[in-house]
Amino acid sequence: MAVLPIRIMGDPVLHSPAAPVEEITDEIRTLVADMFETMDTAPGVGLAAPQVGVPLRIYTYSYADDDGAPWRGVIINPELWIRPLEPGEPDPDDEAEGCLSFPGERFPLRRSDDVLVTGLDIEGRPVRIQVDGWRARIMQHEFDHLDGILYVDRLGDGDWKTVQKIARKRGWGRPGQSWTPGIDDLEG
């Protein structure tokens, strides 16, 4: 397995919808294994294929609940259903999230508390996941990547201006920017 470079917010692959996986091949299995290694090394709780420069509808996830029980997997060609968002501003303490494609920063973002995701696992078997809380947030965040949406694209005006300042300062607004977890400095 190999740790893959993670694309930073200006890379075009992050802003384009990903293509469906037509067939689960050995190449796809290797990609998924490398994505798990990259996600773990970063460290992160999810990683979408576009984040490593591959425009396919695949994401991995890994999270331990409050009791330390692991929850880990891959979803290929996911479909996402969400319960409507509750109105109001996000709670900065309970609803802040970050992203490996905008490393080192966190911003509050309102997400649905309940989701249903369907798709395929690495063996091509149907997957159906219904989760809430942080697990629901992970599913929505990674699914957004497959549609070319970064979480910073969903922020309010004040936080969006802060994101733009950070991106300019770090040079992350240009195509081709990436960092390799465990090797490169997160600051770009």
Side-chain angles (χ1 to χ4, degrees):
M1 292 194 300
V3 174
L4 304 170
I6 294 177
R7 305 301 170 113
I8 301 295
M9 73 173 283
D11 197 293
V13 73
L14 295 173
H15 304 284
S16 301
V21 173
E22 299 296 331
E23 180 182 0
I24 300 173
T25 62
D26 286 343
E27 185 178 70
I28 295 295
R29 287 182 187 88
T30 298
L31 170 64
V32 168
D34 290 346
M35 287 173 61
F36 274 115
E37 184 169 345
T38 301
M39 178 181 65
D40 293 343
T41 301
V45 295
L47 186 66
Q51 290 181 274
V52 294
V54 179
L56 291 174
R57 297 189 76 77
I58 303 170
Y59 67 79
T60 58
Y61 58 89
S62 182
Y63 183 73
D65 67 14
D66 292 339
D67 297 324
W71 179 67
R72 187 172 173 88
V74 59
I75 301 180
I76 298 170
N77 296 334
E79 293 187 35
L80 173 74
W81 290 268
I82 65 172
R83 182 170 291 172
L85 296 178
E86 291 185 22
E89 292 296 314
D91 180 328
D93 294 325
D94 293 333
E95 296 180 289
E97 65 186 70
C99 182
L100 298 177
S101 292
F102 197 81
E105 303 297 331
R106 295 181 63 78
F107 291 93
L109 178 64
R110 177 67 41 106
R111 296 272 192 185
S112 177
D113 197 46
D114 296 292
V115 302
L116 169 65
V117 180
T118 61
L120 301 173
D121 69 11
I122 196 67
E123 301 304 323
R125 295 180 300 242
V127 173
R128 184 180 195 278
I129 299 172
Q130 190 164 1
V131 290
D132 61 9
W134 275 101
R135 291 176 182 187
R137 179 174 294 277
I138 293 166
M139 295 286 122
Q140 291 166 87
H141 181 107
E142 299 311 325
F143 187 86
D144 272 356
H145 278 297
L146 304 182
D147 286 339
I149 300 168
L150 297 176
Y151 92 104
V152 294
D153 297 330
R154 295 191 179 277
L155 298 176
D157 290 342
D159 287 334
W160 175 247
K161 289 177 185 174
T162 302
V163 164
Q164 295 305 304
K165 288 178 187 175
I166 292 168
R168 275 193 304 275
K169 179 181 175 189
R170 296 182 182 166
W172 290 349
R174 297 184 306 269
Q177 295 291 306
S178 67
W179 67 279
T180 304
I183 297 172
D184 295 333
D185 180 342
L186 280 180
E187 300 304 311

